Amino acid sequence: MKPRDLQNLLLILCIALSCVSGAAPVIHVSGYEGRDVNVSCPYGEGYESYEKYLCRNDCSNSDVLIMTTQANKNKYSISDDKNKRVLTTTISDLSSVDAGKYWCGVTRSGKDYYPAEVRLDVVPDSCCDQFTEVHSHEEGSVSIPCPYDSKYQNNLKYICRGRQPSICLQQAVVTSNRKLNGKFTLTGDEESGKFTVNITSLTQMDSGWFLCGVERNNGLDVFSAVKLEVKVSPQTTSTAISIITTEPVTSQSTYISTNPVEDVTPINMVVYIVPAVLLIVILTFSVVIVYKCKAKGPDVSMNRNIPEMAEAEEMRGVDNIYENPEDVCGSKQQSACHTDDKAAEDQTSVYQSLSVTEDIYSVCQYNSEYRT
């Protein structure tokens, strides 16, 4: 190889190395909508006292978002850790328009120094499109499976209520570092690549969404969603039988329903109350009748017997009238002509029975006209 060619090759290598060494590293940052995110950029030694800033796009004057000479500006805040040589900018209340490319810059004479390029992703603060459904009953227990990638075997695992990943770790009910918390227990199975959360003494309040989370060193944590439904416990078998026996038996087959049996307490109360009320009414009515009978005394019984004796005597008189009509009529006419008091009393008693008196009067009238 000629010396000239060697010189050209060395020049090309130097240019290439200078370009590589001058290329800014790319930092990937992700955040949730409505939340805050920190953008951290390390810078080289010797720039501790220089002014620094965060900018977007081409970093023209209008693209500068905030500088270290300004502690806060709009939704941005900035700090410079000169000991660690790290510039940190916080972006608050993220939205989809905040996603994109940013630059961390250092002001210097000539061309500014850009120690890092930042790529910001903004994702919705909800999880997840796919989820696992788990069902159980009140007072029972349930196991929630939480699968994860094998590369996260040594990472922190946890579970929380709800569907907000941004606050899940802060609100975790159990973690792989704190495996027992009341009725929640976390158990790990590294070989199968999943951890399990057991919940005991279930109630309706336990129904809802849960997030299984795995913490990552860089970027957002990994989540899987679980929807738990706690159903009302079915009634005991004895309650179901009490309902069945009140209906007529139409078949010898037996059907056992797994659906919850409604409470039949109001029906049983009606069955017992109605007969009791009827019995009280009947007893009250009987007591009133007995009381009235006792209040009238013996006169009532005597008054009842008088009409019965008169009726019997009158019936015997009627038989005699039809056997000897002439004697009876003669006797009646004489009693009427002499207006005897005793006869008047007898006549009064006879006229108390309308049907018998009308028969006697007709026979007597006939004999009187016949004799005339």
Side-chain angles (χ1 to χ4, degrees), residues 38-92:
N38 292 324
V39 178
S40 297
C41 301
Y43 55 85
E45 185 178 0
Y47 293 101
E48 290 86 352
S49 60
Y50 283 64
E51 183 184 58
K52 304 168 185 73
Y53 57 89
L54 181 72
C55 60
R56 295 194 69 171
N57 302 324
D58 296 331
C59 284
S60 62
N61 291 333
S62 60
D63 292 330
V64 176
L65 303 174
I66 191 171
M67 305 179 70
T68 52
T69 54
Q70 305 165 305
N72 297 281
K73 182 180 179 181
N74 299 328
K75 61 191 297 182
Y76 305 97
S77 60
I78 195 169
S79 64
D80 182 11
D81 189 344
K82 297 178 180 180
N83 294 326
K84 295 181 179 180
R85 297 195 301 275
V86 175
L87 176 69
T88 302
T89 305
T90 301
I91 307 175
S92 304

Side-chain angles (χ1 to χ4, degrees), residues 46-342:
Y47 293 101
E48 290 86 352
S49 60
Y50 283 64
E51 183 184 58
K52 304 168 185 73
Y53 57 89
L54 181 72
C55 60
R56 295 194 69 171
N57 302 324
D58 296 331
C59 284
S60 62
N61 291 333
S62 60
D63 292 330
V64 176
L65 303 174
I66 191 171
M67 305 179 70
T68 52
T69 54
Q70 305 165 305
N72 297 281
K73 182 180 179 181
N74 299 328
K75 61 191 297 182
Y76 305 97
S77 60
I78 195 169
S79 64
D80 182 11
D81 189 344
K82 297 178 180 180
N83 294 326
K84 295 181 179 180
R85 297 195 301 275
V86 175
L87 176 69
T88 302
T89 305
T90 301
I91 307 175
S92 304
D93 192 19
L94 288 174
S95 63
S96 58
V97 297
D98 294 319
K101 183 170 66 173
Y102 294 78
W103 293 91
C104 294
V106 178
T107 303
R108 64 181 181 179
S109 59
K111 186 178 180 180
D112 288 352
Y113 163 52
Y114 299 99
E117 176 187 344
V118 179
R119 301 283 178 89
L120 174 61
D121 294 327
V122 179
V123 298
D125 191 13
S126 63
C127 182
C128 300
D129 294 335
Q130 297 181 349
F131 58 89
T132 303
E133 290 189 73
V134 180
H135 303 273
S136 188
H137 289 88
E138 285 183 322
E139 300 180 0
S141 61
V142 68
S143 296
I144 298 178
C146 299
Y148 61 87
D149 197 302
S150 59
K151 64 182 178 181
Y152 300 125
Q153 181 175 352
N154 297 323
N155 293 41
L156 179 71
K157 288 91 175 176
Y158 56 93
I159 190 171
C160 67
R161 296 179 184 270
R163 302 184 68 180
Q164 284 188 279
S166 62
I167 58 174
C168 188
L169 180 57
Q170 292 84 350
Q171 298 182 354
V173 290
V174 285
T175 69
S176 55
N177 293 336
R178 186 169 59 97
K179 298 183 178 181
L180 179 61
N181 181 19
K183 60 183 183 180
F184 294 88
T185 306
L186 187 148
T187 57
D189 187 358
E190 288 77 10
E191 294 182 359
S192 61
K194 71 175 181 179
F195 66 93
T196 304
V197 177
N198 298 313
I199 310 175
T200 59
S201 303
L202 289 171
T203 66
Q204 289 284 302
M205 299 297 293
D206 294 318
S207 295
W209 290 94
F210 289 84
L211 288 183
C212 302
V214 178
E215 187 180 35
R216 292 202 303 176
N217 298 326
N218 297 313
L220 300 177
D221 292 352
V222 181
F223 294 96
S224 59
V226 177
K227 185 178 182 181
L228 172 62
E229 181 181 1
V230 180
K231 299 180 180 180
V232 178
S233 298
Q235 298 292 335
T236 59
T237 307
S238 59
T239 305
I241 293 175
S242 64
I243 297 176
I244 296 172
T245 53
T246 58
E247 300 294 334
V249 179
T250 58
S251 175
Q252 293 182 353
S253 62
T254 302
Y255 171 74
I256 300 176
S257 175
T258 59
N259 295 327
V261 180
E262 296 181 356
D263 189 5
V264 295
T265 303
I267 299 177
N268 292 334
M269 292 177 64
V270 171
V271 172
Y272 288 107
I273 290 175
V274 172
V277 172
L278 292 176
L279 181 61
I280 292 173
V281 172
I282 293 172
L283 291 175
T284 304
F285 185 72
S286 301
V287 170
V288 171
I289 293 176
V290 172
Y291 177 77
K292 287 184 177 181
C293 292
K294 289 183 178 181
K296 290 183 178 181
D299 293 338
V300 177
S301 300
M302 293 179 63
N303 291 335
R304 290 180 180 176
N305 294 332
I306 290 173
E308 294 177 359
M309 294 173 62
E311 184 178 358
E313 183 177 355
E314 196 170 32
M315 292 300 294
R316 287 194 299 272
V318 171
D319 294 337
N320 294 332
I321 289 171
Y322 283 101
E323 290 178 1
N324 300 308
E326 294 180 358
D327 295 340
V328 173
C329 291
S331 175
K332 292 293 181 179
Q333 289 178 350
Q334 291 178 4
S335 299
C337 294
H338 292 90
T339 63
D340 188 21
D341 294 336
K342 183 176 181 179

Side-chain angles (χ1 to χ4, degrees), residues 333 364-372:
Q333 289 178 350
C364 293
Q365 186 69 24
Y366 172 81
N367 290 334
S368 176
E369 289 176 355
Y370 177 81
R371 288 179 181 178
T372 306

